[in-house]
Amino acid sequence: MTITRTDSSHKDFQNLVQLLDADLAIRNGDDHPFYDQFNKIDSIKNCIVIYIDEKPAACGAFKKFSEDTVEIKRMYTHPDFRKRGLATAIVEELESWAKESGYAKAVLESSLEQNEALSVYEKSGYCRIPNYGQYIGIDKSVCYEKIL
């Protein structure tokens, strides 16, 4: 496994995000346009791509949320590489990078329907919080935070 820190201009990151968006369009159904508007990647400076045998297998990113907090975004593992702990590795690397950059906390939003993602976040020490920002009042959304 090789972990590459990059930004949103990286082609492998972009390709994995396209697969993520296609998956989310199916999962989110009619609600997809609402969520999609908050998931643009054109200016994310902190992105990660994990490679297995030189093949892009998983990705994730964070962006500044507030002065001391990042928001974890664009987490995805290609179906061919699931059940190998890559999502946990992404979370750990993003947290390390955020701490190195001076951030003290991470927040994230996911869908209640993404059980596998929720399990990764909870096992990684994230605690459920009230929905924040644009997710307030959205029943399908669940938000988490973790002190880094």
Side-chain angles (χ1 to χ4, degrees):
M1 174 173 66
T2 304
I3 299 174
T4 299
R5 290 182 178 184
T6 187
D7 62 31
S8 60
S9 69
H10 194 279
K11 202 64 173 158
D12 290 335
F13 177 77
Q14 292 176 355
N15 290 338
L16 287 166
V17 167
Q18 284 181 344
L19 295 172
L20 168 62
D21 287 339
D23 181 63
L24 290 175
I26 294 166
R27 289 178 189 247
N28 293 334
D30 292 340
D31 295 327
H32 185 67
F34 170 79
Y35 291 106
D36 191 49
Q37 68 182 317
F38 305 115
N39 289 320
K40 304 302 179 205
I41 63 167
D42 50 346
S43 61
I44 299 179
K45 297 178 180 138
N46 303 92
C47 304
I48 290 173
V49 177
I50 291 184
Y51 294 89
I52 302 292
D53 298 327
E54 299 181 21
K55 296 177 187 163
C59 67
F62 72 79
K63 66 179 188 177
K64 182 177 180 176
F65 183 76
S66 71
E67 202 57 42
D68 70 341
T69 304
V70 297
E71 183 178 29
I72 304 291
K73 306 286 292 176
R74 314 298 16 220
M75 294 279 301
Y76 180 73
T77 301
H78 189 284
D80 292 347
F81 299 98
R82 291 186 180 157
K83 306 268 187 219
R84 298 186 191 189
L86 300 184
T88 299
I90 293 168
V91 170
E92 290 172 355
E93 184 69 17
L94 290 172
E95 290 172 356
S96 293
W97 196 1
K99 282 175 68 172
E100 290 167 21
S101 301
Y103 293 98
K105 185 168 58 171
V107 297
L108 61 87
E109 181 275 340
S110 190
S111 168
L112 283 172
E113 298 166 358
Q114 292 182 287
N115 294 327
E116 62 282 351
L118 301 180
S119 176
V120 167
Y121 301 136
E122 290 170 5
K123 288 178 184 175
S124 297
Y126 284 78
C127 298
R128 190 163 176 186
I129 59 172
N131 287 8
Y132 58 81
Q134 63 268 23
Y135 306 112
I136 294 172
I138 305 299
D139 294 337
K140 290 184 177 181
S141 287
V142 59
C143 294
Y144 288 87
E145 76 175 5
K146 179 179 180 181
I147 303 302
L148 302 177

